[in-house]
Amino acid sequence: MLAVALLCVLPLSMAQTSLPPAKIPNLPNLGDTEREDLSPLMERKLGEEIMRDIRRDHDFLDDAPILEYLNNFGNALVEARPGARGEASYDYYFFAVRDPQLNAFALPGGFIAVHSALLLAAQSEAELASVLSHEIGHVVQRHIARSLGQQRQDALIPLAAIILAALASKAGGDAAMGVFLGGQGLAIQRQLNFSRDAEREADRIGFQIMGAAGFDTTGMVAFFQRLQAATRNYSDVVPAYLQTHPLTSERIADIQARIREQPYKQRPDSLDFHLVRARARVLQDESAQGLAAAEAFFHTQLEQENRQQVAAAKYGLSFVALKRGDTATAQRLLDEARGAMRKAPPAGVYGAAPATTPNAIFVSMALDIKLAQEGNPAVIAQALAEADAAHQQFPLSRGIARQYAQAMVAAGKLEPAAAYLRDQVQQYRGEPALYDLLASTYAKQGKLALQHMALAESYVLQGGVLSALDQLGIARKAPDASFYDQAVIDARERELQARRREELGEKGKKENKAAPDHEHTALAPMMGR
């Protein structure tokens, strides 16, 4: 049903608009005659529509430290190489999904996903950089758009379905097969598999990007060789990354030849890399069994001499304790993690000087531990003071910005919290979590109309237009709805109803064009639910 909901809102014009080919400075540009059916603008819109469904999926890792790290890391790669934003000047968005398979993929329009298993499998930031740079190469060259250029415009429908099926597969074989069949997945899977020429081109661009960003380019070979070894050792279980990114010895040899022409670079991994991997390990399976497995892994990791590994292990154990509700143990382990980074590395061990500057991920965890103790006013007061200081120290951290609002609400500073959140939703209109926090704040104030109006905006951002209209209907009937509120509700309802009519109209067009009569009969009950 996830795919059906998405396909109903994809505009038919996406496959009809075209732009003339443009040159990308300093990067090669393959082909131009094959991509006339999908303009960069429409490609971005397709990606945004798919992202709305992905964000609603349980396995989308909506974790502020992980998202901030991936976007800071990924966009640093993009900025390192002129032209990496492509002819359309894409705003890249990097995110993670909870999945035990080694995989990463690029969606149309600059959205790049990393599976949690791949994040854990990467042994260094150079290896992670090689994967993200390769996916950036696919976006720069618009490989998806160019492959669609050879297909009829109806190819957009199964393309969306097959991408969403990657998420549905975690819910079970039947659910995944339903999405595949709904989008004629067995046929479109072959379209998603990039050609060998496209893979080589993405390798070359990725190689240039990670080299320009200062990473050791041997990381690309190291990661590919590990994937190839996994294929040899488990011949009946091919890593997902290799299914969509066919790997050949020729590709590895080509990269090795390029490495020989480059000066050797040694770049130590950041502490954030290790901390984010620890978070991903805990979040990958939050069941009691999963937390126990993560705990065992971190205890083994403590035996290493690398202080970053030790700090990350202590941090991971702190996160496990927090998930179990043991805030005292969580705080003690977090203090030990910070202490590990304040020690100088052992003699003869390569490493940076002792860490003395605050780390945003450590600070965020400290706030989470305090905010989990809502019944202790003294701790909450301390959390508010620390959140205020952290927000000033890390003004670009979206996670800490939300924690600052949470601390104000927990401390009973409801009016300042509401004012702050109203300002935040104006600056960052694309964050549903901000509207959810604002709605929660209004609820505590007893402002029912404003609460449901804020919830409506959260649902809109997540693609739930009908749910948003329901919330506006509740807001209209609230006893505290003012004349001004009623006017705002009226205007917003008209806008959303027009959008809904447009979506239903486009949905009908696609069905009339793509489905035989017997398929109309089969789809009708699903659309009515």
Side-chain angles (χ1 to χ4, degrees), residues 146-413:
R146 286 168 43 214
S147 67
L148 284 175
Q150 297 178 334
Q151 310 297 325
R152 297 172 58 86
Q153 59 194 24
D154 297 340
L156 288 174
I157 294 175
L159 173 67
I162 196 71
I163 292 173
L164 292 171
L167 290 176
S169 64
K170 295 185 293 300
D174 291 341
M177 186 57 67
V179 180
F180 273 97
L181 294 179
Q184 303 172 24
L186 296 178
I188 302 306
Q189 177 65 62
R190 292 191 293 271
Q191 291 181 13
L192 270 186
N193 294 342
F194 291 120
S195 70
R196 291 185 177 183
D197 287 341
E199 286 301 318
R200 283 193 292 267
E201 187 59 26
D203 286 345
R204 293 165 189 161
I205 293 175
F207 185 89
Q208 294 173 14
I209 290 173
M210 67 180 297
F215 287 98
D216 178 11
T217 49
T218 61
M220 182 174 283
V221 171
F223 189 76
F224 283 168
Q225 287 178 333
R226 188 175 303 114
L227 287 174
Q228 200 171 51
T231 307
R232 288 195 298 268
N233 295 334
Y234 306 99
S235 57
D236 58 335
V237 182
V238 179
Y241 193 82
L242 299 187
Q243 293 177 8
T244 54
H245 301 72
L247 183 63
T248 64
S249 298
E250 178 188 356
R251 283 177 60 198
I252 294 178
D254 180 54
I255 298 169
Q256 288 174 324
R258 293 173 182 275
I259 289 173
R260 286 193 289 270
E261 301 172 0
Q262 300 289 324
Y264 175 71
K265 296 177 182 179
Q266 189 174 27
R267 171 172 171 164
D269 295 331
S270 70
L271 172 62
D272 285 359
F273 171 68
H274 297 284
L275 298 181
V276 161
R277 291 172 75 238
R279 288 190 72 87
R281 188 172 297 281
V282 174
L283 293 173
Q284 180 151 315
D285 183 358
E286 297 182 56
S287 68
Q289 182 179 0
L291 292 179
E295 184 178 36
F297 177 89
F298 293 136
H299 279 299
T300 301
Q301 188 174 332
L302 285 174
E303 300 173 3
Q304 301 190 31
E305 292 186 2
N306 184 300
R307 63 184 179 140
Q308 288 186 330
Q309 294 277 11
V310 171
K314 291 284 188 181
Y315 175 87
L317 289 170
S318 173
F319 198 22
V320 169
L322 180 60
K323 288 292 182 181
R324 290 172 172 166
D326 187 351
T327 55
T329 300
Q331 185 63 59
R332 174 178 60 81
L333 289 166
L334 178 61
D335 292 340
E336 291 177 7
R338 285 170 154 167
M341 287 307 300
R342 286 193 288 266
K343 295 179 181 179
V349 176
Y350 176 72
T356 56
T357 57
N359 176 280
I361 298 180
F362 279 154
V363 170
S364 177
M365 175 68 86
L367 290 174
D368 277 341
I369 293 171
K370 291 180 176 64
L371 290 171
Q373 303 175 60
E374 290 188 56
N376 191 326
V379 173
I380 293 300
Q382 185 180 357
L384 178 56
E386 291 183 11
D388 189 5
H391 183 47
Q392 295 180 46
Q393 187 168 32
F394 304 103
L396 298 181
S397 171
R398 302 302 310 134
I400 287 177
R402 289 195 290 271
Q403 286 177 309
Y404 179 41
Q406 291 170 341
M408 282 192 282
V409 172
K413 309 291 185 182

Side-chain angles (χ1 to χ4, degrees), residues 371-450:
L371 290 171
Q373 303 175 60
E374 290 188 56
N376 191 326
V379 173
I380 293 300
Q382 185 180 357
L384 178 56
E386 291 183 11
D388 189 5
H391 183 47
Q392 295 180 46
Q393 187 168 32
F394 304 103
L396 298 181
S397 171
R398 302 302 310 134
I400 287 177
R402 289 195 290 271
Q403 286 177 309
Y404 179 41
Q406 291 170 341
M408 282 192 282
V409 172
K413 309 291 185 182
L414 299 180
E415 194 54 45
Y420 169 76
L421 285 167
R422 283 194 294 268
D423 179 67
Q424 287 287 300
V425 297
Q426 289 299 313
Q427 294 184 57
Y428 304 96
R429 296 177 179 272
E431 296 186 20
L434 288 176
Y435 283 103
D436 290 337
L437 270 174
L438 183 57
S440 175
T441 305
Y442 283 142
K444 290 179 182 295
Q445 291 180 297
K447 298 179 178 180
L448 299 181
L450 294 176

